[in-house]
Amino acid sequence: MRFAAIRNRQNWQVQLQLGDSLADIAGGLYAYPPDYMTQLGTFTQEAAGGRTLSYYATNIAAILAADAGDVWTNVGINDVVLYGKSAAQMLTDLETIRDAVVADGREFMPFQLTPFKDGVSSNWTSAYQAVVDAYNAALPNWCLTRGHHCGLVYDAMEDPAAADEMRAAHKFNAGTDDLHYSVAGAQHVARIWDAGIMAARRRIKVAA
């Protein structure tokens, strides 16, 4: 069954990630994606430090013109922390991105925001967390009503012993960079991505 599901994922053989946590970035900070991302095709990424959903909403046409691939998002903390966006504003930007992706004939899968308390420690506040919680709570139904799979990563990445913090093994460098992923964290997210792609492929196959 797993082989059949993987074999039928051709719509995701070229993948374009919007966000800065899972692929190579200048300086080699994130020198992977894991095999889960690359075993069936090409993994590309449009990213740089400080990227936001707002940035992608503004620039999505140019990004799609420059890069091939079905699109998934792993971005949004900067919208909250750097620009004070509300969950509603972020979902509006996500809608703009999604509409452009779908109009271009591509698949789309957004991910929840991941835990970030003590990640770049001075940036976390309870008010920011409330926005993250509201966005994450709204995203599954947002995806359901639009026919997309949602990457449910928050609970999977949260430390059960420390609310709203990422599991220590999943942090890039616990104590100095608790926001971005370690290799183990990226692999964990990649497994969630992998399951989402299989679910998306089953949906596409049934719809066809």
Side-chain angles (χ1 to χ4, degrees):
M1 175 65 86
R2 177 172 169 78
F3 174 77
I6 290 176
R7 186 183 58 198
N8 288 326
R9 291 191 306 180
Q10 63 265 26
N11 279 35
W12 286 90
Q13 283 190 343
V14 179
Q15 309 129 34
L16 172 60
Q17 181 202 346
L18 305 183
D20 69 354
S21 295
L22 289 180
D24 290 342
I25 292 177
L29 185 59
Y30 310 110
Y32 44 90
D35 288 343
Y36 296 99
M37 300 303 213
T38 57
Q39 63 184 340
L40 294 174
T42 302
F43 179 92
T44 58
Q45 177 181 10
E46 200 298 320
R51 286 289 194 256
T52 61
L53 285 166
S54 179
Y55 171 87
Y56 289 123
T58 300
N59 294 282
I60 189 62
I63 292 167
L64 295 177
D67 292 301
D70 294 312
V71 176
W72 60 287
T73 66
N74 188 40
V75 62
I77 293 295
N78 287 328
D79 292 88
V80 180
V81 173
L82 299 182
Y83 299 100
K85 292 295 186 75
S86 68
Q89 290 171 318
M90 293 164 68
L91 289 167
T92 296
D93 286 335
L94 189 68
E95 189 86 50
T96 298
I97 298 166
R98 179 261 178 193
D99 287 350
V101 170
V102 171
D104 204 43
R106 309 190 193 197
E107 288 293 311
F108 184 65
M109 182 169 62
F111 271 43
Q112 289 178 321
L113 308 183
T114 49
F116 80 109
K117 187 176 182 179
D118 290 333
V120 190
S121 300
S122 62
N123 286 342
W124 185 91
T125 68
S126 58
Y128 290 154
Q129 186 64 48
V131 176
V132 170
D133 290 344
Y135 179 85
N136 285 345
L139 195 60
N141 189 63
W142 186 96
C143 291
L144 180 66
T145 58
R146 291 158 179 79
H148 302 299
H149 188 82
C150 175
L152 301 176
V153 295
Y154 193 89
D155 287 347
M157 300 294 282
E158 185 179 28
D159 188 337
D164 302 322
E165 289 191 34
M166 193 179 296
R167 294 171 185 263
H170 293 163
K171 297 176 180 180
F172 180 76
N173 190 349
T176 58
D177 185 348
D178 302 321
L179 172 65
H180 299 101
Y181 306 144
S182 65
V183 171
Q187 289 173 340
H188 194 63
V189 169
R191 292 184 185 99
I192 297 169
W193 174 93
D194 195 57
I197 298 308
M198 286 191 286
R201 285 303 306 147
R202 286 194 293 269
R203 174 183 57 78
I204 293 165
K205 187 175 182 181
V206 169

